[in-house]
Amino acid sequence: MELLTDPQAWIAFATLTLLELVLGIDNIIFISILVDKLPPTQQEVARRIGLFMAMFMRIGLLLVLSWIVGLVEPLFTVMGQSISGRDIILILGGLFLIWKSTGEIHQSLEGEEDALNSSVKATLTRVVLQIMVIDLVFSLDSIITAVGMVDEVAIMIAAVVASVGLMMLFANAIGQFVSRHPSIKMLALTFLVVVGVVLVAEGFGHHVPKGYIYFAMAFSLMVELLNIRFRKRASNVVRLHPNHIPGK
């Protein structure tokens, strides 16, 4: 009850919820691209399963904070760089994200035939398993950020639940928008490759400020939205036929 009447707790909750939403954008985009390969009747189910898994995984990690702290301890050294359990998860997750995003870009460029073969191979179980793998990476990154900002586990759990609830409200609209606009999907895939490279770099001890990445994403998205609006307006312009003189 003390937390409910503490203004500092509410400020921490609002700040952490907003941060979790920002950190969850990558996750929403990745889930949207994966479920787009499924039949329409299974897409919403896979999307909700993916977001629920992200929420439960983050809450589970919050309840084993001592294990997370232990992940930071060095396990071995490679070329003078100490590698911890967290680093291994980040490196493997980054490589998986690079591999999956690059494969999606390749399939998008191959055309309808390759996309059809890919959609035949995609199953609900396989998509959910891929979502769980990347959920683990994004959840670990998110929880480590939360631990550094807030001391109360209850505030962390409340912020995670609130942020995932907001993600569920917007995930379907984001997924449909990405699916309708191939240029936005390609832009999202290229930034997922960048995020994968950043995860691998952080796994090897090279920290890249997330602010630069998210600013570049927001700026590129804004430019592409302006391009989409311009193309839509240009296609609606009435074009007059030139004067035609009979016999010429």
Side-chain angles (χ1 to χ4, degrees):
M1 293 297 294
E2 294 181 1
L3 291 176
L4 296 178
T5 57
D6 185 5
Q8 295 296 327
W10 284 103
I11 293 174
F13 167 75
T15 304
L16 190 56
T17 300
L18 180 61
L19 184 63
E20 290 290 325
L21 279 173
V22 173
L23 293 174
I25 291 175
D26 304 335
N27 210 351
I28 293 177
I29 293 174
F30 187 80
I31 291 175
S32 299
I33 292 173
L34 282 181
V35 301
D36 193 43
K37 303 166 73 65
L38 292 171
T41 55
Q42 296 181 347
Q43 290 182 3
E44 186 62 24
V45 175
R47 186 179 291 111
R48 291 189 178 275
I49 291 176
L51 289 173
F52 269 118
M53 288 300 301
M55 181 178 69
F56 288 124
M57 202 168 292
R58 293 181 187 189
I59 293 175
L61 289 175
L62 282 172
L63 297 177
V64 287
L65 288 178
S66 59
W67 178 71
I68 293 179
V69 173
L71 284 177
V72 185
E73 297 296 325
L75 297 177
F76 53 88
T77 302
V78 177
M79 300 179 63
Q81 176 65 43
S82 58
I83 303 296
S84 64
R86 170 183 175 271
D87 295 333
I88 294 175
I89 294 177
L90 290 178
I91 292 171
L92 294 178
L95 291 175
F96 173 78
L97 196 57
I98 294 171
W99 168 73
K100 189 62 185 175
S101 301
T102 304
E104 292 291 334
I105 293 174
H106 173 73
Q107 290 174 4
S108 299
L109 295 176
E110 283 298 305
E112 296 182 0
E113 182 178 354
D114 191 73
L116 180 61
N117 294 333
S118 174
S119 62
V120 171
K121 296 177 184 177
T123 62
L124 180 62
T125 303
R126 181 175 298 180
V127 168
V128 169
L129 289 176
Q130 291 178 5
I131 291 174
M132 288 176 61
V133 171
I134 209 63
D135 273 347
L136 175 61
V137 180
F138 286 141
S139 297
L140 185 65
D141 191 33
S142 173
I143 295 307
I144 290 174
T145 302
V147 170
M149 287 188 59
V150 182
D151 296 327
E152 293 288 341
V153 177
I155 296 177
M156 297 181 198
I157 294 177
V160 166
V161 174
S163 62
V164 172
L166 290 173
M167 287 181 200
M168 287 184 177
L169 289 177
F170 299 107
N172 188 31
I174 293 175
Q176 290 179 358
F177 182 77
V178 171
S179 179
R180 287 197 308 267
H181 299 88
S183 59
I184 294 292
K185 181 178 180 179
M186 188 63 64
L187 183 64
L189 286 169
T190 55
F191 272 108
L192 286 175
V193 174
V194 173
V195 171
V197 173
V198 170
L199 290 175
V200 173
E202 289 194 354
F204 283 106
H206 301 284
H207 178 67
V208 180
K210 293 289 195 307
Y212 294 130
I213 305 299
Y214 290 122
F215 175 79
M217 290 175 64
F219 180 78
S220 301
L221 178 62
M222 182 177 63
V223 172
E224 186 55 36
L225 289 176
L226 290 175
N227 284 332
I228 291 174
R229 183 176 178 84
F230 175 77
R231 289 194 296 266
K232 186 176 180 181
R233 290 183 61 181
S235 63
N236 294 331
V237 172
V238 176
R239 300 184 182 277
L240 299 178
H241 293 288
N243 294 330
H244 177 67
I245 300 176
K248 291 189 178 181

